[in-house]
């Protein structure tokens, strides 16, 4: 309450995003990803940030970002891509995003990952 309401500025996050491993902002699964984030309320976006960065708030300006947010390809795995969860590296503010077949699969898998994966909370 001291810090005010949670507000996650997606336009700012998009401006501070780098695409790696051959991904680009125009890839269908990347545009699906941004649309799924837009569907989330600010509280759920904060959970997404905790999953990818270990923090629940963004800096106020692009100049204040210590690292850009990165979206990268999930390393190749066995089996259908739709069966895998996205993963993240909080040290590098990086999301490893599988090229899901559609937005509905992406929505389910991303929400499952951010709500069920709390390894960053287990640090001692």
């Amino acid at each position: 309450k001291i810090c005010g309401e949670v507000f996650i500025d997606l336009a700012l996050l998009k401006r501070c995003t780098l695409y790696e491993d051959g991904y680009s902002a125009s890839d269908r699964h990347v545009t699906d990803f941004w649309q799924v984030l837009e569907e989330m309320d600010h509280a759920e976006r904060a959970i997404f940030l905790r999953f990818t960065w270990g923090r629940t708030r963004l800096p106020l300006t692009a100049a204040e970002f210590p690292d850009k947010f990165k979206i990268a390809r999930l390393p190749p795995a066995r089996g259908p891509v739709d069966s895998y969860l996205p993963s993240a590296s909080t040290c590098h503010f990086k999301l490893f995003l599988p090229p899901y077949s559609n937005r509905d699969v992406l929505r389910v898998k991303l929400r499952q990952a951010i709500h069920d994966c709390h390894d960053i909370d287990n640090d001692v």
Side-chain angles (χ1 to χ4, degrees):
K1 295 198 180 228
I2 292 173
C3 296
E5 295 294 320
V6 174
F7 175 75
I8 309 299
D9 184 350
L10 288 184
L12 174 62
L13 185 59
K14 282 182 184 182
R15 287 194 309 273
C16 296
T17 298
L18 300 174
Y19 300 94
E20 298 181 341
D21 302 327
Y23 276 9
S24 73
S26 62
D27 290 338
R28 184 202 39 82
H29 52 279
V30 173
T31 60
D32 285 349
F33 162 76
W34 288 115
Q35 289 175 353
V36 167
L37 274 188
E38 287 172 10
E39 295 170 2
M40 294 178 180
D41 62 20
H42 291 288
E44 194 169 30
R45 291 176 191 173
I47 294 168
F48 166 78
L49 285 179
R50 186 190 70 217
F51 175 73
T52 57
W53 201 17
R55 303 175 187 195
T56 57
R57 294 181 183 270
L58 291 175
L60 296 176
T61 67
E64 296 175 47
F65 270 71
D67 291 308
K68 300 274 188 184
F69 173 52
K70 293 167 250 358
I71 299 176
R73 185 177 305 274
L74 185 71
R78 294 183 184 166
V81 71
D82 285 353
S83 67
Y84 290 93
L85 292 173
S87 65
S89 171
T90 56
C91 294
H92 301 287
F93 195 15
K94 183 184 283 193
L95 174 69
F96 295 97
L97 182 68
Y100 294 115
S101 62
N102 62 65
R103 187 179 317 136
D104 292 333
V105 172
L106 191 153
R107 180 183 302 107
V108 168
K109 295 298 186 176
L110 183 61
R111 283 194 165 125
Q112 181 181 355
I114 69 174
H115 288 286
D116 295 346
C117 300
H118 300 284
D119 287 344
I120 189 73
D121 296 331
N122 294 328
D123 289 349
V124 269

